[in-house]
Amino acid sequence: MNLDTENTHPKAVVLLSGGLDSATVAAIAKSDGYQVHAVSFDYGQRHKVELTAAYRVAHQLGIGHHKMISINLNDVGGSALTDSTLAVPDYDAKAVEHIPITYVPARNLTFLSLALGWAEILGARRIYIGVNAVDYSGYPDCRPEFIKQFEITANLATAAGLEGKPFKIVAPLQTLTKAEIIQWGTRLGVDYAQTISCYNPDEQGRACGRCDACHYRKQGFMDAGVPDVTIYVPE
């Protein structure tokens, strides 16, 4: 993005995890005409290969502003994504009505709060997040009710909100299937080979093919009629 474009486009903060959904949302924010400021979080996750993927996605989409924030949610504990003593479970269709152990307590609440602070400093009024409430693992902080209430809180908790410069939390994927998300991102030129969704990748960054995230990703590519470019651990 050149300087002239930066001076004429409004800013938006995009939460970029390195996964399929967040890459799609970053592309959507660009297509909406925003100068994207991406933020990724090193939160003590075991699957740190997603941070490398976030850098790849930012580069592939031409995002020139990318911040990495370090926090340690493992100090809170209770999630298989941060606690190495807990096993990442395989996908189980019978368990979809229960919140899985891969749920990270207060993760999206924490991420959105930090993104909100950065957005206020930048003068950005839009925060994009790739939460989904259709093909997902049932996390409570992915639901439309949470996003709606966070937006209300954001405008009560910030100087900008009180000064009549409100924030909007943009979650364009919330009601879409994984296939619809992949089709949208493909139209926008997202290279999904740069992303990783797996909760339990190996040391080479290959997806396990068995966890919830891998299940929804594989099914999404199949339903979308788009070749699955994910590199999986050989069975």
Side-chain angles (χ1 to χ4, degrees):
M1 183 176 289
N2 61 42
L3 184 59
D4 289 340
T5 303
E6 290 193 0
N7 289 335
T8 57
H9 284 62
K11 299 174 183 177
V13 170
V14 177
L15 278 70
L16 184 64
S17 69
L20 183 155
D21 293 340
S22 71
T24 305
V25 164
I28 292 170
K30 286 196 67 177
S31 72
D32 286 346
Y34 287 97
Q35 177 198 142
V36 172
H37 290 251
V39 58
S40 303
F41 296 93
D42 182 350
Y43 63 91
Q45 65 269 53
R46 296 163 61 185
H47 53 304
K48 287 189 182 296
V49 293
E50 72 172 8
L51 300 177
T52 302
Y55 281 116
R56 292 196 303 261
V57 170
H59 177 74
Q60 190 259 318
L61 293 177
I63 297 171
H65 306 273
H66 187 194
K67 178 188 286 289
M68 186 74 66
I69 296 179
S70 296
I71 51 179
N72 188 7
L73 294 184
N74 198 30
D75 284 344
V76 176
S79 172
L81 296 192
T82 60
D83 188 342
S84 60
T85 68
L86 300 174
V88 175
D90 292 348
Y91 171 76
D92 181 358
K94 297 178 180 178
V96 294
E97 294 182 1
H98 304 283
I99 297 173
I101 199 169
T102 50
Y103 163 64
V104 182
R107 179 173 59 178
N108 283 344
L109 178 63
T110 302
F111 289 178
L112 279 171
S113 296
L114 292 171
L116 173 65
W118 193 34
E120 185 165 31
I121 291 170
L122 290 172
R125 292 293 169 261
R126 294 290 184 275
I127 299 172
Y128 282 73
I129 183 171
V131 291
N132 175 262
V134 179
D135 289 340
Y136 79 127
S137 298
Y139 301 149
D141 54 0
C142 289
R143 297 173 302 152
E145 298 92 329
F146 165 69
I147 297 299
K148 179 180 179 181
Q149 292 302 317
F150 184 87
E151 181 177 294
I152 293 171
T153 300
N155 288 305
L156 291 172
T158 56
L162 293 179
E163 291 168 355
K165 294 174 281 189
F167 294 94
K168 177 69 176 177
I169 309 301
V170 185
L173 310 183
Q174 281 205 315
T175 61
L176 302 183
T177 66
K178 196 67 72 181
E180 290 170 329
I181 293 168
I182 291 168
Q183 289 168 340
W184 194 355
T186 299
R187 291 194 299 271
L188 293 176
V190 176
D191 180 3
Y192 288 117
Q194 306 305 322
T195 70
I196 186 166
S197 303
C198 181
Y199 293 153
N200 195 29
D202 68 3
E203 293 181 356
Q204 298 177 46
R206 297 178 299 183
C208 73
R210 302 184 308 274
C211 67
D212 278 11
C214 281
H215 167 79
Y216 290 117
R217 181 181 174 114
K218 285 194 293 185
Q219 190 65 48
F221 278 110
M222 186 181 302
D223 293 344
V226 175
D228 187 351
V229 292
T230 310
I231 298 175
Y232 294 101
V233 174
E235 295 184 2

